């Protein structure tokens, strides 16, 4: 079940949910409007799952940055979010989609116990200017059933992530770079 905006706020007040920084005005009936952080990585050229992804990293200027089609961008959420009690689903929203921006299509699930600033996969259909701190999507919190297992306590490769992180699939592939 998805928490309502008022239940998200109540869970923040009791410490069951972390959203930092938190702004109650960003709550909607069933979600929280998250923002784009101020840093972006540009992954140009061919990508290979067996080797770490090459990138350049830059601060998104206050006057904005134009995303170009054909490039993979890795961004980060402005907010750090998490909960030991609830799972999370992070998605883009209609407003961003209407600009031709696809964000975080492949990995929207945040496990219980994973308190992070999310790495975002971003693609643009057409050249489009983005700005640091702009609303970029919606975050929902879900009730999990069964015995909870904190993600931070698992031997997971992204457990310590707290910002932009490249794919680490190469750690799993035979012959991949370690």
């Amino acid at each position: 079940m998805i928490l309502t905006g008022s239940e998200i706020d109540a869970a923040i007040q009791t410490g069951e949910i972390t959203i930092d920084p938190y702004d109650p005005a960003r709550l909607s009936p069933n979600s929280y409007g998250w923002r784009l952080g101020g840093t972006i990585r540009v992954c140009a050229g061919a990508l290979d799952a067996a080797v770490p992804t090459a990138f350049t990293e830059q601060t998104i200027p206050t006057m904005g940055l134009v995303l170009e089609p054909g490039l993979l961008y890795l961004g980060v959420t402005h907010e750090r979010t998490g909960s030991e009690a609830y799972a999370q689903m992070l998605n883009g929203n209609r407003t961003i989609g209407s600009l031709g921006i696809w964000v975080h299509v492949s990995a929207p699930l945040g496990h219980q116990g994973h308190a992070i600033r999310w790495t975002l996969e971003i693609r643009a259909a057409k050249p489009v200017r983005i700005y640091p701190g702009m609303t970029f999507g919606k975050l929902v919190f879900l009730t999990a059933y069964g015995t909870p297992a904190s993600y931070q306590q698992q031997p997971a490769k992204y457990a310590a992530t707290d910002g932009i992180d490249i794919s680490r699939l190469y750690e799993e592939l035979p012959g991949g770079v370690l």
Side-chain angles (χ1 to χ4, degrees):
M1 293 216 246
I2 293 176
L3 270 63
T4 63
S6 61
E7 286 300 312
I8 293 169
D9 185 63
I12 288 168
Q13 302 311 317
T14 64
E16 290 180 295
I17 289 176
T18 298
I19 299 177
D20 183 30
Y22 174 63
D23 177 0
R26 304 191 69 71
L27 287 170
S28 60
N30 296 105
S31 64
Y32 185 84
W34 60 270
R35 296 170 287 174
L36 179 64
T39 305
I40 200 156
R41 290 182 177 176
V42 182
C43 305
L47 302 175
D48 183 340
V51 297
T53 302
F55 62 86
T56 57
E57 185 170 297
Q58 64 187 84
T59 300
I60 302 170
T62 56
M63 71 280 223
L65 173 73
V66 175
L67 301 181
E68 297 291 342
L71 294 176
L72 170 63
Y73 298 91
L74 297 177
V76 66
T77 58
H78 178 71
E79 293 85 1
R80 180 180 169 274
T81 68
S83 176
E84 290 288 338
Y86 302 100
Q88 307 167 74
M89 293 280 294
L90 183 119
N91 294 294
N93 63 13
R94 184 201 174 293
T95 305
I96 291 301
S98 296
L99 289 172
I101 299 172
W102 293 286
V103 60
H104 219 66
V105 175
S106 67
L109 179 63
H111 298 284
Q112 286 175 275
H114 204 189
I116 60 168
R117 292 178 65 217
W118 295 66
T119 295
L120 308 168
E121 306 101 17
I122 304 169
R123 299 287 306 254
K126 298 180 67 102
V128 59
R129 187 174 298 274
I130 60 168
Y131 300 87
M134 69 187 281
T135 300
F136 225 65
K138 298 290 184 182
L139 178 69
V140 299
F141 291 88
L142 307 165
T143 301
Y145 292 96
T147 305
S150 177
Y151 187 79
Q152 295 301 116
Q153 305 305 315
Q154 305 298 312
K157 68 170 108 18
Y158 299 109
T161 298
D162 195 34
I164 303 173
D165 204 354
I166 62 170
S167 170
R168 291 195 221 150
L169 187 58
Y170 59 87
E171 294 176 2
E172 298 176 23
L173 294 174
V177 178
L178 294 179

